Amino acid sequence: MATEIERKFLVTGSQWRSTAAGERIRQGYLWADQLRSLRVRIAGARAFLTLKSARTGFTRQEYEYEIPLPDAQEMLAGLCSGGLIEKTRYAVLDRGREWVVDVFDGDNEGLVVAEVELDSEDEDVQLPAWAGREVTSDPRYLNVNLVARPYSRWTAAERGEADQAAPGEP
């Protein structure tokens, strides 16, 4: 079984950008409910289908398969329900640990989140200075939910809550 153990944080500041290399991502959902989702993603010149289960704690099942780029382009254009997620993903190394920082565009412009994959749920993580409030357990920040209710449609209060990210705060 393929398992993903991941934590997600809002990003504060831009110190992370100095060493980051970015890749454009476009993705949409062919199917999603509360138990699972099926996503099509184009990352650079490669394309993938990914099946994910609902999360239990920080963990969920994830199965990813590379597919032909033209197939993914057709799926994004005609089969995905709702809008698309557009973002640039940056790989950032901090204290020997790889993080990914997603800078969203389109309907989710203004949202910047960082994710770190872990080997176990109880693994200790030293947060970079630019990692703000943890949002792992907040379903609003799941990409599948950002398609249905993009960041641009959040109320001022919801955006303010997102902007008040204090380092290390759960």
Side-chain angles (χ1 to χ4, degrees), residues 39-78:
R39 172 186 80 201
V40 59
R41 170 185 279 176
I42 297 175
R46 298 174 69 196
F48 304 89
L49 276 180
T50 307
L51 178 64
K52 290 188 176 195
S53 70
R55 190 175 45 228
T56 303
F58 303 144
T59 304
R60 64 178 157 189
Q61 294 172 301
E62 177 182 75
Y63 302 91
E64 185 166 80
Y65 306 96
E66 191 161 1
I67 62 172
L69 182 61
D71 291 358
Q73 291 167 330
E74 287 179 18
M75 289 179 204
L76 286 175

PDB file of all heavy atoms in Angstrom, residues 39-78:
ATOM      1  N   ARG A  39      -7.318  12.593  -9.221  1.00  0.00           N
ATOM      2  CA  ARG A  39      -6.793  13.849  -9.750  1.00  0.00           C
ATOM      3  C   ARG A  39      -5.968  13.594 -11.002  1.00  0.00           C
ATOM      4  O   ARG A  39      -5.277  12.581 -11.114  1.00  0.00           O
ATOM      5  CB  ARG A  39      -5.905  14.465  -8.663  1.00  0.00           C
ATOM      6  CG  ARG A  39      -5.118  15.684  -9.100  1.00  0.00           C
ATOM      7  CD  ARG A  39      -4.161  16.132  -8.011  1.00  0.00           C
ATOM      8  NE  ARG A  39      -2.965  15.292  -8.017  1.00  0.00           N
ATOM      9  CZ  ARG A  39      -2.155  15.152  -6.985  1.00  0.00           C
ATOM     10  NH1 ARG A  39      -2.386  15.764  -5.847  1.00  0.00           N
ATOM     11  NH2 ARG A  39      -1.080  14.375  -7.084  1.00  0.00           N
ATOM     12  N   VAL A  40      -6.023  14.535 -11.935  1.00  0.00           N
ATOM     13  CA  VAL A  40      -5.107  14.547 -13.069  1.00  0.00           C
ATOM     14  C   VAL A  40      -4.237  15.791 -12.912  1.00  0.00           C
ATOM     15  O   VAL A  40      -4.733  16.860 -12.574  1.00  0.00           O
ATOM     16  CB  VAL A  40      -5.840  14.518 -14.435  1.00  0.00           C
ATOM     17  CG1 VAL A  40      -6.769  15.705 -14.607  1.00  0.00           C
ATOM     18  CG2 VAL A  40      -4.859  14.439 -15.581  1.00  0.00           C
ATOM     19  N   ARG A  41      -2.926  15.612 -13.098  1.00  0.00           N
ATOM     20  CA  ARG A  41      -1.985  16.717 -12.885  1.00  0.00           C
ATOM     21  C   ARG A  41      -0.976  16.759 -14.009  1.00  0.00           C
ATOM     22  O   ARG A  41      -0.447  15.716 -14.420  1.00  0.00           O
ATOM     23  CB  ARG A  41      -1.256  16.536 -11.557  1.00  0.00           C
ATOM     24  CG  ARG A  41      -0.096  17.505 -11.354  1.00  0.00           C
ATOM     25  CD  ARG A  41       0.681  17.242 -10.093  1.00  0.00           C
ATOM     26  NE  ARG A  41      -0.022  17.837  -8.954  1.00  0.00           N
ATOM     27  CZ  ARG A  41       0.373  17.708  -7.698  1.00  0.00           C
ATOM     28  NH1 ARG A  41       1.437  16.981  -7.405  1.00  0.00           N
ATOM     29  NH2 ARG A  41      -0.296  18.295  -6.724  1.00  0.00           N
ATOM     30  N   ILE A  42      -0.692  17.978 -14.449  1.00  0.00           N
ATOM     31  CA  ILE A  42       0.437  18.221 -15.342  1.00  0.00           C
ATOM     32  C   ILE A  42       1.454  19.020 -14.545  1.00  0.00           C
ATOM     33  O   ILE A  42       1.149  20.096 -14.023  1.00  0.00           O
ATOM     34  CB  ILE A  42       0.011  18.989 -16.607  1.00  0.00           C
ATOM     35  CG1 ILE A  42      -0.974  18.158 -17.425  1.00  0.00           C
ATOM     36  CG2 ILE A  42       1.245  19.369 -17.430  1.00  0.00           C
ATOM     37  CD1 ILE A  42      -1.545  18.874 -18.635  1.00  0.00           C
ATOM     38  N   ALA A  43       2.654  18.456 -14.429  1.00  0.00           N
ATOM     39  CA  ALA A  43       3.754  19.100 -13.715  1.00  0.00           C
ATOM     40  C   ALA A  43       4.908  19.220 -14.696  1.00  0.00           C
ATOM     41  O   ALA A  43       5.523  18.203 -15.054  1.00  0.00           O
ATOM     42  CB  ALA A  43       4.154  18.291 -12.490  1.00  0.00           C
ATOM     43  N   GLY A  44       5.168  20.437 -15.134  1.00  0.00           N
ATOM     44  CA  GLY A  44       6.188  20.619 -16.159  1.00  0.00           C
ATOM     45  C   GLY A  44       5.751  19.924 -17.432  1.00  0.00           C
ATOM     46  O   GLY A  44       4.674  20.180 -17.953  1.00  0.00           O
ATOM     47  N   ALA A  45       6.569  18.985 -17.926  1.00  0.00           N
ATOM     48  CA  ALA A  45       6.261  18.252 -19.155  1.00  0.00           C
ATOM     49  C   ALA A  45       5.766  16.832 -18.882  1.00  0.00           C
ATOM     50  O   ALA A  45       5.678  16.019 -19.795  1.00  0.00           O
ATOM     51  CB  ALA A  45       7.502  18.206 -20.046  1.00  0.00           C
ATOM     52  N   ARG A  46       5.443  16.534 -17.618  1.00  0.00           N
ATOM     53  CA  ARG A  46       4.974  15.196 -17.245  1.00  0.00           C
ATOM     54  C   ARG A  46       3.546  15.278 -16.723  1.00  0.00           C
ATOM     55  O   ARG A  46       3.110  16.322 -16.231  1.00  0.00           O
ATOM     56  CB  ARG A  46       5.893  14.597 -16.192  1.00  0.00           C
ATOM     57  CG  ARG A  46       7.326  14.429 -16.708  1.00  0.00           C
ATOM     58  CD  ARG A  46       8.272  13.963 -15.642  1.00  0.00           C
ATOM     59  NE  ARG A  46       7.967  12.585 -15.277  1.00  0.00           N
ATOM     60  CZ  ARG A  46       8.409  11.997 -14.174  1.00  0.00           C
ATOM     61  NH1 ARG A  46       9.172  12.655 -13.321  1.00  0.00           N
ATOM     62  NH2 ARG A  46       8.096  10.753 -13.909  1.00  0.00           N
ATOM     63  N   ALA A  47       2.838  14.142 -16.805  1.00  0.00           N
ATOM     64  CA  ALA A  47       1.441  14.111 -16.363  1.00  0.00           C
ATOM     65  C   ALA A  47       1.184  12.866 -15.523  1.00  0.00           C
ATOM     66  O   ALA A  47       1.807  11.816 -15.726  1.00  0.00           O
ATOM     67  CB  ALA A  47       0.516  14.126 -17.576  1.00  0.00           C
ATOM     68  N   PHE A  48       0.230  12.989 -14.592  1.00  0.00           N
ATOM     69  CA  PHE A  48      -0.036  11.916 -13.638  1.00  0.00           C
ATOM     70  C   PHE A  48      -1.521  11.828 -13.311  1.00  0.00           C
ATOM     71  O   PHE A  48      -2.224  12.837 -13.290  1.00  0.00           O
ATOM     72  CB  PHE A  48       0.708  12.185 -12.315  1.00  0.00           C
ATOM     73  CG  PHE A  48       2.179  12.369 -12.488  1.00  0.00           C
ATOM     74  CD1 PHE A  48       2.707  13.630 -12.735  1.00  0.00           C
ATOM     75  CD2 PHE A  48       3.040  11.283 -12.425  1.00  0.00           C
ATOM     76  CE1 PHE A  48       4.069  13.810 -12.893  1.00  0.00           C
ATOM     77  CE2 PHE A  48       4.404  11.458 -12.596  1.00  0.00           C
ATOM     78  CZ  PHE A  48       4.926  12.722 -12.832  1.00  0.00           C
ATOM     79  N   LEU A  49      -1.964  10.606 -13.022  1.00  0.00           N
ATOM     80  CA  LEU A  49      -3.249  10.351 -12.377  1.00  0.00           C
ATOM     81  C   LEU A  49      -2.937   9.935 -10.953  1.00  0.00           C
ATOM     82  O   LEU A  49      -2.050   9.103 -10.727  1.00  0.00           O
ATOM     83  CB  LEU A  49      -4.001   9.211 -13.061  1.00  0.00           C
ATOM     84  CG  LEU A  49      -4.831   9.537 -14.280  1.00  0.00           C
ATOM     85  CD1 LEU A  49      -5.490   8.264 -14.817  1.00  0.00           C
ATOM     86  CD2 LEU A  49      -5.875  10.585 -13.989  1.00  0.00           C
ATOM     87  N   THR A  50      -3.665  10.491  -9.995  1.00  0.00           N
ATOM     88  CA  THR A  50      -3.412  10.191  -8.592  1.00  0.00           C
ATOM     89  C   THR A  50      -4.725   9.913  -7.884  1.00  0.00           C
ATOM     90  O   THR A  50      -5.654  10.715  -7.955  1.00  0.00           O
ATOM     91  CB  THR A  50      -2.700  11.371  -7.887  1.00  0.00           C
ATOM     92  OG1 THR A  50      -1.532  11.707  -8.635  1.00  0.00           O
ATOM     93  CG2 THR A  50      -2.318  11.002  -6.468  1.00  0.00           C
ATOM     94  N   LEU A  51      -4.766   8.778  -7.216  1.00  0.00           N
ATOM     95  CA  LEU A  51      -5.914   8.400  -6.390  1.00  0.00           C
ATOM     96  C   LEU A  51      -5.507   8.557  -4.938  1.00  0.00           C
ATOM     97  O   LEU A  51      -4.477   8.023  -4.513  1.00  0.00           O
ATOM     98  CB  LEU A  51      -6.303   6.939  -6.670  1.00  0.00           C
ATOM     99  CG  LEU A  51      -7.449   6.374  -5.849  1.00  0.00           C
ATOM    100  CD1 LEU A  51      -8.752   7.105  -6.137  1.00  0.00           C
ATOM    101  CD2 LEU A  51      -7.604   4.880  -6.125  1.00  0.00           C
ATOM    102  N   LYS A  52      -6.312   9.339  -4.173  1.00  0.00           N
ATOM    103  CA  LYS A  52      -6.011   9.571  -2.760  1.00  0.00           C
ATOM    104  C   LYS A  52      -7.227   9.213  -1.921  1.00  0.00           C
ATOM    105  O   LYS A  52      -8.361   9.485  -2.310  1.00  0.00           O
ATOM    106  CB  LYS A  52      -5.669  11.040  -2.500  1.00  0.00           C
ATOM    107  CG  LYS A  52      -4.345  11.469  -3.082  1.00  0.00           C
ATOM    108  CD  LYS A  52      -3.985  12.863  -2.614  1.00  0.00           C
ATOM    109  CE  LYS A  52      -2.617  13.269  -3.117  1.00  0.00           C
ATOM    110  NZ  LYS A  52      -2.101  14.436  -2.394  1.00  0.00           N
ATOM    111  N   SER A  53      -6.963   8.637  -0.752  1.00  0.00           N
ATOM    112  CA  SER A  53      -8.032   8.353   0.204  1.00  0.00           C
ATOM    113  C   SER A  53      -8.219   9.568   1.110  1.00  0.00           C
ATOM    114  O   SER A  53      -7.416  10.501   1.101  1.00  0.00           O
ATOM    115  CB  SER A  53      -7.663   7.139   1.065  1.00  0.00           C
ATOM    116  OG  SER A  53      -6.600   7.470   1.951  1.00  0.00           O
ATOM    117  N   ALA A  54      -9.265   9.528   1.912  1.00  0.00           N
ATOM    118  CA  ALA A  54      -9.433  10.544   2.946  1.00  0.00           C
ATOM    119  C   ALA A  54      -8.291  10.398   3.942  1.00  0.00           C
ATOM    120  O   ALA A  54      -7.706   9.322   4.088  1.00  0.00           O
ATOM    121  CB  ALA A  54     -10.778  10.374   3.641  1.00  0.00           C
ATOM    122  N   ARG A  55      -8.004  11.471   4.637  1.00  0.00           N
ATOM    123  CA  ARG A  55      -6.903  11.473   5.595  1.00  0.00           C
ATOM    124  C   ARG A  55      -7.389  11.006   6.957  1.00  0.00           C
ATOM    125  O   ARG A  55      -8.478  11.345   7.405  1.00  0.00           O
ATOM    126  CB  ARG A  55      -6.338  12.887   5.688  1.00  0.00           C
ATOM    127  CG  ARG A  55      -5.060  12.967   6.467  1.00  0.00           C
ATOM    128  CD  ARG A  55      -4.422  14.337   6.456  1.00  0.00           C
ATOM    129  NE  ARG A  55      -5.384  15.385   6.690  1.00  0.00           N
ATOM    130  CZ  ARG A  55      -5.491  16.485   5.959  1.00  0.00           C
ATOM    131  NH1 ARG A  55      -4.687  16.657   4.947  1.00  0.00           N
ATOM    132  NH2 ARG A  55      -6.372  17.397   6.239  1.00  0.00           N
ATOM    133  N   THR A  56      -6.547  10.219   7.614  1.00  0.00           N
ATOM    134  CA  THR A  56      -6.731   9.848   9.012  1.00  0.00           C
ATOM    135  C   THR A  56      -5.511  10.391   9.737  1.00  0.00           C
ATOM    136  O   THR A  56      -4.398   9.914   9.509  1.00  0.00           O
ATOM    137  CB  THR A  56      -6.815   8.321   9.185  1.00  0.00           C
ATOM    138  OG1 THR A  56      -7.887   7.826   8.384  1.00  0.00           O
ATOM    139  CG2 THR A  56      -7.044   7.956  10.629  1.00  0.00           C
ATOM    140  N   GLY A  57      -5.697  11.413  10.566  1.00  0.00           N
ATOM    141  CA  GLY A  57      -4.556  12.085  11.163  1.00  0.00           C
ATOM    142  C   GLY A  57      -3.786  12.803  10.081  1.00  0.00           C
ATOM    143  O   GLY A  57      -4.344  13.607   9.340  1.00  0.00           O
ATOM    144  N   PHE A  58      -2.498  12.490   9.942  1.00  0.00           N
ATOM    145  CA  PHE A  58      -1.660  13.081   8.892  1.00  0.00           C
ATOM    146  C   PHE A  58      -1.473  12.108   7.726  1.00  0.00           C
ATOM    147  O   PHE A  58      -0.707  12.382   6.812  1.00  0.00           O
ATOM    148  CB  PHE A  58      -0.266  13.430   9.436  1.00  0.00           C
ATOM    149  CG  PHE A  58      -0.249  14.362  10.607  1.00  0.00           C
ATOM    150  CD1 PHE A  58       0.693  14.213  11.612  1.00  0.00           C
ATOM    151  CD2 PHE A  58      -1.154  15.398  10.725  1.00  0.00           C
ATOM    152  CE1 PHE A  58       0.743  15.078  12.695  1.00  0.00           C
ATOM    153  CE2 PHE A  58      -1.123  16.267  11.808  1.00  0.00           C
ATOM    154  CZ  PHE A  58      -0.175  16.105  12.793  1.00  0.00           C
ATOM    155  N   THR A  59      -2.153  10.959   7.756  1.00  0.00           N
ATOM    156  CA  THR A  59      -1.869   9.869   6.834  1.00  0.00           C
ATOM    157  C   THR A  59      -3.034   9.595   5.897  1.00  0.00           C
ATOM    158  O   THR A  59      -4.191   9.678   6.285  1.00  0.00           O
ATOM    159  CB  THR A  59      -1.566   8.581   7.639  1.00  0.00           C
ATOM    160  OG1 THR A  59      -0.497   8.856   8.551  1.00  0.00           O
ATOM    161  CG2 THR A  59      -1.172   7.437   6.736  1.00  0.00           C
ATOM    162  N   ARG A  60      -2.696   9.236   4.667  1.00  0.00           N
ATOM    163  CA  ARG A  60      -3.693   8.759   3.709  1.00  0.00           C
ATOM    164  C   ARG A  60      -3.011   7.885   2.671  1.00  0.00           C
ATOM    165  O   ARG A  60      -1.798   7.927   2.487  1.00  0.00           O
ATOM    166  CB  ARG A  60      -4.442   9.911   3.055  1.00  0.00           C
ATOM    167  CG  ARG A  60      -3.591  10.812   2.199  1.00  0.00           C
ATOM    168  CD  ARG A  60      -4.458  11.874   1.588  1.00  0.00           C
ATOM    169  NE  ARG A  60      -3.707  13.040   1.212  1.00  0.00           N
ATOM    170  CZ  ARG A  60      -4.261  14.152   0.825  1.00  0.00           C
ATOM    171  NH1 ARG A  60      -5.557  14.249   0.775  1.00  0.00           N
ATOM    172  NH2 ARG A  60      -3.538  15.174   0.472  1.00  0.00           N
ATOM    173  N   GLN A  61      -3.826   7.079   2.003  1.00  0.00           N
ATOM    174  CA  GLN A  61      -3.312   6.258   0.914  1.00  0.00           C
ATOM    175  C   GLN A  61      -3.206   7.129  -0.330  1.00  0.00           C
ATOM    176  O   GLN A  61      -4.059   7.987  -0.579  1.00  0.00           O
ATOM    177  CB  GLN A  61      -4.253   5.093   0.630  1.00  0.00           C
ATOM    178  CG  GLN A  61      -4.332   4.097   1.762  1.00  0.00           C
ATOM    179  CD  GLN A  61      -5.423   3.089   1.493  1.00  0.00           C
ATOM    180  OE1 GLN A  61      -6.582   3.455   1.338  1.00  0.00           O
ATOM    181  NE2 GLN A  61      -5.040   1.831   1.429  1.00  0.00           N
ATOM    182  N   GLU A  62      -2.150   6.879  -1.110  1.00  0.00           N
ATOM    183  CA  GLU A  62      -1.948   7.642  -2.339  1.00  0.00           C
ATOM    184  C   GLU A  62      -1.321   6.725  -3.384  1.00  0.00           C
ATOM    185  O   GLU A  62      -0.312   6.068  -3.111  1.00  0.00           O
ATOM    186  CB  GLU A  62      -1.036   8.845  -2.089  1.00  0.00           C
ATOM    187  CG  GLU A  62      -0.745   9.631  -3.354  1.00  0.00           C
ATOM    188  CD  GLU A  62       0.200  10.794  -3.113  1.00  0.00           C
ATOM    189  OE1 GLU A  62       1.408  10.537  -2.941  1.00  0.00           O
ATOM    190  OE2 GLU A  62      -0.271  11.934  -3.089  1.00  0.00           O
ATOM    191  N   TYR A  63      -1.927   6.700  -4.553  1.00  0.00           N
ATOM    192  CA  TYR A  63      -1.414   5.914  -5.681  1.00  0.00           C
ATOM    193  C   TYR A  63      -1.278   6.861  -6.868  1.00  0.00           C
ATOM    194  O   TYR A  63      -2.251   7.496  -7.270  1.00  0.00           O
ATOM    195  CB  TYR A  63      -2.373   4.776  -6.034  1.00  0.00           C
ATOM    196  CG  TYR A  63      -2.606   3.855  -4.858  1.00  0.00           C
ATOM    197  CD1 TYR A  63      -3.655   4.079  -3.966  1.00  0.00           C
ATOM    198  CD2 TYR A  63      -1.765   2.772  -4.627  1.00  0.00           C
ATOM    199  CE1 TYR A  63      -3.858   3.245  -2.881  1.00  0.00           C
ATOM    200  CE2 TYR A  63      -1.967   1.927  -3.546  1.00  0.00           C
ATOM    201  CZ  TYR A  63      -3.019   2.173  -2.676  1.00  0.00           C
ATOM    202  OH  TYR A  63      -3.216   1.346  -1.600  1.00  0.00           O
ATOM    203  N   GLU A  64      -0.065   6.948  -7.421  1.00  0.00           N
ATOM    204  CA  GLU A  64       0.177   7.884  -8.514  1.00  0.00           C
ATOM    205  C   GLU A  64       0.773   7.151  -9.707  1.00  0.00           C
ATOM    206  O   GLU A  64       1.683   6.336  -9.534  1.00  0.00           O
ATOM    207  CB  GLU A  64       1.113   8.995  -8.051  1.00  0.00           C
ATOM    208  CG  GLU A  64       1.314  10.079  -9.092  1.00  0.00           C
ATOM    209  CD  GLU A  64       1.946  11.312  -8.493  1.00  0.00           C
ATOM    210  OE1 GLU A  64       3.175  11.307  -8.307  1.00  0.00           O
ATOM    211  OE2 GLU A  64       1.204  12.260  -8.189  1.00  0.00           O
ATOM    212  N   TYR A  65       0.254   7.481 -10.900  1.00  0.00           N
ATOM    213  CA  TYR A  65       0.681   6.815 -12.124  1.00  0.00           C
ATOM    214  C   TYR A  65       0.937   7.845 -13.214  1.00  0.00           C
ATOM    215  O   TYR A  65       0.098   8.717 -13.460  1.00  0.00           O
ATOM    216  CB  TYR A  65      -0.408   5.841 -12.603  1.00  0.00           C
ATOM    217  CG  TYR A  65      -0.794   4.864 -11.518  1.00  0.00           C
ATOM    218  CD1 TYR A  65      -1.902   5.102 -10.699  1.00  0.00           C
ATOM    219  CD2 TYR A  65      -0.027   3.731 -11.273  1.00  0.00           C
ATOM    220  CE1 TYR A  65      -2.240   4.223  -9.681  1.00  0.00           C
ATOM    221  CE2 TYR A  65      -0.365   2.848 -10.256  1.00  0.00           C
ATOM    222  CZ  TYR A  65      -1.474   3.103  -9.471  1.00  0.00           C
ATOM    223  OH  TYR A  65      -1.794   2.232  -8.456  1.00  0.00           O
ATOM    224  N   GLU A  66       2.082   7.734 -13.858  1.00  0.00           N
ATOM    225  CA  GLU A  66       2.370   8.636 -14.974  1.00  0.00           C
ATOM    226  C   GLU A  66       1.511   8.239 -16.169  1.00  0.00           C
ATOM    227  O   GLU A  66       1.310   7.053 -16.440  1.00  0.00           O
ATOM    228  CB  GLU A  66       3.858   8.599 -15.334  1.00  0.00           C
ATOM    229  CG  GLU A  66       4.228   9.696 -16.298  1.00  0.00           C
ATOM    230  CD  GLU A  66       5.728  10.010 -16.334  1.00  0.00           C
ATOM    231  OE1 GLU A  66       6.510   9.358 -15.618  1.00  0.00           O
ATOM    232  OE2 GLU A  66       6.093  10.922 -17.091  1.00  0.00           O
ATOM    233  N   ILE A  67       1.004   9.264 -16.864  1.00  0.00           N
ATOM    234  CA  ILE A  67       0.173   9.056 -18.053  1.00  0.00           C
ATOM    235  C   ILE A  67       0.703   9.950 -19.176  1.00  0.00           C
ATOM    236  O   ILE A  67       1.459  10.889 -18.917  1.00  0.00           O
ATOM    237  CB  ILE A  67      -1.327   9.364 -17.782  1.00  0.00           C
ATOM    238  CG1 ILE A  67      -1.522  10.835 -17.394  1.00  0.00           C
ATOM    239  CG2 ILE A  67      -1.873   8.427 -16.711  1.00  0.00           C
ATOM    240  CD1 ILE A  67      -2.979  11.262 -17.307  1.00  0.00           C
ATOM    241  N   PRO A  68       0.304   9.677 -20.432  1.00  0.00           N
ATOM    242  CA  PRO A  68       0.755  10.524 -21.536  1.00  0.00           C
ATOM    243  C   PRO A  68       0.252  11.967 -21.364  1.00  0.00           C
ATOM    244  O   PRO A  68      -0.909  12.192 -20.988  1.00  0.00           O
ATOM    245  CB  PRO A  68       0.136   9.869 -22.773  1.00  0.00           C
ATOM    246  CG  PRO A  68      -0.111   8.443 -22.370  1.00  0.00           C
ATOM    247  CD  PRO A  68      -0.455   8.512 -20.908  1.00  0.00           C
ATOM    248  N   LEU A  69       1.120  12.919 -21.643  1.00  0.00           N
ATOM    249  CA  LEU A  69       0.792  14.332 -21.509  1.00  0.00           C
ATOM    250  C   LEU A  69      -0.447  14.728 -22.330  1.00  0.00           C
ATOM    251  O   LEU A  69      -1.330  15.421 -21.800  1.00  0.00           O
ATOM    252  CB  LEU A  69       2.008  15.191 -21.889  1.00  0.00           C
ATOM    253  CG  LEU A  69       1.851  16.691 -21.770  1.00  0.00           C
ATOM    254  CD1 LEU A  69       1.547  17.101 -20.333  1.00  0.00           C
ATOM    255  CD2 LEU A  69       3.128  17.384 -22.261  1.00  0.00           C
ATOM    256  N   PRO A  70      -0.586  14.291 -23.602  1.00  0.00           N
ATOM    257  CA  PRO A  70      -1.794  14.666 -24.360  1.00  0.00           C
ATOM    258  C   PRO A  70      -3.088  14.166 -23.696  1.00  0.00           C
ATOM    259  O   PRO A  70      -4.119  14.849 -23.739  1.00  0.00           O
ATOM    260  CB  PRO A  70      -1.582  14.025 -25.739  1.00  0.00           C
ATOM    261  CG  PRO A  70      -0.103  13.858 -25.855  1.00  0.00           C
ATOM    262  CD  PRO A  70       0.377  13.569 -24.451  1.00  0.00           C
ATOM    263  N   ASP A  71      -3.037  12.988 -23.082  1.00  0.00           N
ATOM    264  CA  ASP A  71      -4.220  12.475 -22.377  1.00  0.00           C
ATOM    265  C   ASP A  71      -4.583  13.395 -21.218  1.00  0.00           C
ATOM    266  O   ASP A  71      -5.751  13.732 -21.009  1.00  0.00           O
ATOM    267  CB  ASP A  71      -3.978  11.059 -21.853  1.00  0.00           C
ATOM    268  CG  ASP A  71      -3.875  10.011 -22.958  1.00  0.00           C
ATOM    269  OD1 ASP A  71      -4.026  10.371 -24.153  1.00  0.00           O
ATOM    270  OD2 ASP A  71      -3.647   8.840 -22.623  1.00  0.00           O
ATOM    271  N   ALA A  72      -3.589  13.797 -20.457  1.00  0.00           N
ATOM    272  CA  ALA A  72      -3.834  14.686 -19.311  1.00  0.00           C
ATOM    273  C   ALA A  72      -4.391  16.027 -19.777  1.00  0.00           C
ATOM    274  O   ALA A  72      -5.307  16.574 -19.150  1.00  0.00           O
ATOM    275  CB  ALA A  72      -2.551  14.887 -18.523  1.00  0.00           C
ATOM    276  N   GLN A  73      -3.860  16.556 -20.859  1.00  0.00           N
ATOM    277  CA  GLN A  73      -4.358  17.830 -21.385  1.00  0.00           C
ATOM    278  C   GLN A  73      -5.831  17.718 -21.778  1.00  0.00           C
ATOM    279  O   GLN A  73      -6.628  18.611 -21.474  1.00  0.00           O
ATOM    280  CB  GLN A  73      -3.508  18.275 -22.581  1.00  0.00           C
ATOM    281  CG  GLN A  73      -2.113  18.680 -22.172  1.00  0.00           C
ATOM    282  CD  GLN A  73      -1.148  18.830 -23.337  1.00  0.00           C
ATOM    283  OE1 GLN A  73      -1.273  18.157 -24.366  1.00  0.00           O
ATOM    284  NE2 GLN A  73      -0.166  19.710 -23.170  1.00  0.00           N
ATOM    285  N   GLU A  74      -6.199  16.612 -22.406  1.00  0.00           N
ATOM    286  CA  GLU A  74      -7.603  16.396 -22.774  1.00  0.00           C
ATOM    287  C   GLU A  74      -8.480  16.258 -21.538  1.00  0.00           C
ATOM    288  O   GLU A  74      -9.592  16.788 -21.492  1.00  0.00           O
ATOM    289  CB  GLU A  74      -7.735  15.152 -23.658  1.00  0.00           C
ATOM    290  CG  GLU A  74      -7.223  15.338 -25.061  1.00  0.00           C
ATOM    291  CD  GLU A  74      -7.349  14.073 -25.896  1.00  0.00           C
ATOM    292  OE1 GLU A  74      -8.122  13.161 -25.528  1.00  0.00           O
ATOM    293  OE2 GLU A  74      -6.656  13.992 -26.932  1.00  0.00           O
ATOM    294  N   MET A  75      -8.004  15.537 -20.539  1.00  0.00           N
ATOM    295  CA  MET A  75      -8.780  15.360 -19.307  1.00  0.00           C
ATOM    296  C   MET A  75      -9.007  16.698 -18.609  1.00  0.00           C
ATOM    297  O   MET A  75     -10.120  16.987 -18.152  1.00  0.00           O
ATOM    298  CB  MET A  75      -8.068  14.394 -18.356  1.00  0.00           C
ATOM    299  CG  MET A  75      -8.087  12.963 -18.813  1.00  0.00           C
ATOM    300  SD  MET A  75      -7.184  11.951 -17.607  1.00  0.00           S
ATOM    301  CE  MET A  75      -6.703  10.582 -18.632  1.00  0.00           C
ATOM    302  N   LEU A  76      -7.953  17.516 -18.500  1.00  0.00           N
ATOM    303  CA  LEU A  76      -8.096  18.823 -17.861  1.00  0.00           C
ATOM    304  C   LEU A  76      -9.079  19.705 -18.631  1.00  0.00           C
ATOM    305  O   LEU A  76      -9.849  20.453 -18.022  1.00  0.00           O
ATOM    306  CB  LEU A  76      -6.747  19.536 -17.748  1.00  0.00           C
ATOM    307  CG  LEU A  76      -5.785  19.003 -16.693  1.00  0.00           C
ATOM    308  CD1 LEU A  76      -4.446  19.732 -16.780  1.00  0.00           C
ATOM    309  CD2 LEU A  76      -6.365  19.138 -15.295  1.00  0.00           C
ATOM    310  N   ALA A  77      -9.039  19.605 -19.954  1.00  0.00           N
ATOM    311  CA  ALA A  77      -9.897  20.457 -20.781  1.00  0.00           C
ATOM    312  C   ALA A  77     -11.356  20.022 -20.773  1.00  0.00           C
ATOM    313  O   ALA A  77     -12.252  20.861 -20.881  1.00  0.00           O
ATOM    314  CB  ALA A  77      -9.376  20.482 -22.220  1.00  0.00           C
ATOM    315  N   GLY A  78     -11.620  18.715 -20.629  1.00  0.00           N
ATOM    316  CA  GLY A  78     -12.993  18.287 -20.827  1.00  0.00           C
ATOM    317  C   GLY A  78     -13.616  17.386 -19.788  1.00  0.00           C
ATOM    318  O   GLY A  78     -14.830  17.199 -19.802  1.00  0.00           O
TER     319      GLY A  78
END
